Amino acid sequence: AMLRSLLDGLAYVHDCGVLHRDIKPANIFLRDLESPMFIDFGLCNDTEYTALTDAGSVVGTPGFLPPEALAGSPQTPHWDQFALALSMLRVWKGVDVHAMGGAREGGDQVQRILSSLGSRTYLVEARKLLSGQTRLEAAILRALSPEPASRFPDARAMLAALDPIVVDPRRGARRPVSSPPTRPPGAGL
């Protein structure tokens, strides 16, 4: 329920042309498990206008950046999708996949994260934690793909992969997830 609500909110935010750019567990506020919301839009970016950051600069928390950040690729909604999947994995399993796989304790945390992203160790460790047998596990693993094109086209597609028909609590009716929400449940706007 929590991931579904967050994906619904993320779809709304992206539909408005905004990238959050700093999704992580600390930026998800839990009113209750049915209605979490994103907070701290301090690094958000309106995709319709020129970014306030320098070209090639990376914005966000290192432990939740996607692999394409290493190449200086433009930030897209796929970055938010990756960060949300990594956040859900951390909350669900209680581990940091960047610190697994023989990673040394101590040392430079940012260097360990960069190494994990560059070598794809994070994905190897995520696959050890998740079998991919449930829709939830398969969706998280797909969203963690090293290649943005292999992830879901958008948050609404990831939501549809979890459950093609969801109950809309505002109307008490079932609706296909492809229809936009009437209110941004996880957006916190």
Side-chain angles (χ1 to χ4, degrees):
M2 183 166 72
L3 181 57
R4 286 181 177 93
S5 183
L6 289 169
L7 283 167
D8 209 18
L10 189 60
Y12 178 84
V13 168
H14 289 169
D15 287 348
C16 291
V18 175
L19 300 177
H20 187 285
R21 302 193 323 166
D22 198 24
I23 294 175
K24 58 187 176 183
N27 286 341
I28 297 171
F29 178 75
L30 294 178
R31 291 181 286 194
D32 57 57
L33 289 179
E34 296 293 321
S35 54
M37 63 175 17
F38 294 111
I39 59 172
D40 192 359
F41 280 76
L43 296 178
C44 75
N45 182 27
D46 187 329
T47 59
E48 307 257 333
Y49 301 98
T50 306
L52 296 176
T53 52
D54 293 331
S57 64
V58 177
V59 176
T61 302
F64 297 92
L65 293 175
E68 61 268 25
L70 298 179
S73 298
Q75 294 176 343
T76 69
H78 285 109
W79 285 45
D80 283 349
Q81 184 185 127
F82 182 93
L84 180 57
L86 201 53
S87 295
M88 291 297 96
L89 180 60
R90 171 128 5 138
V91 168
W92 184 18
K93 297 296 183 175
V95 296
D96 176 2
V97 292
H98 296 305
M100 297 173 65
R104 297 173 316 210
E105 285 299 319
D108 184 355
Q109 180 183 9
V110 173
Q111 191 56 44
R112 200 168 52 239
I113 291 165
L114 295 176
S115 174
S116 173
L117 290 172
S119 66
R120 311 297 196 244
T121 305
Y122 77 92
L123 188 57
V124 171
E125 298 306 325
R127 287 180 177 147
K128 289 178 186 176
L129 295 168
L130 304 174
S131 67
Q133 298 300 310
T134 67
R135 286 182 186 208
L136 175 61
E137 290 179 345
I140 288 173
L141 288 171
R142 181 173 173 188
L144 291 175
S145 175
E147 299 298 326
S150 297
R151 296 180 201 140
F152 293 95
D154 56 33
R156 206 164 269 113
M158 187 174 176
L159 182 57
L162 293 174
D163 188 6
I165 303 278
V166 295
V167 173
D168 185 339
R170 295 171 295 279
R171 290 181 259 176
R174 295 172 75 80
R175 65 172 171 85
V177 295
S178 60
S179 61
T182 56
R183 180 182 152 271
L189 297 175

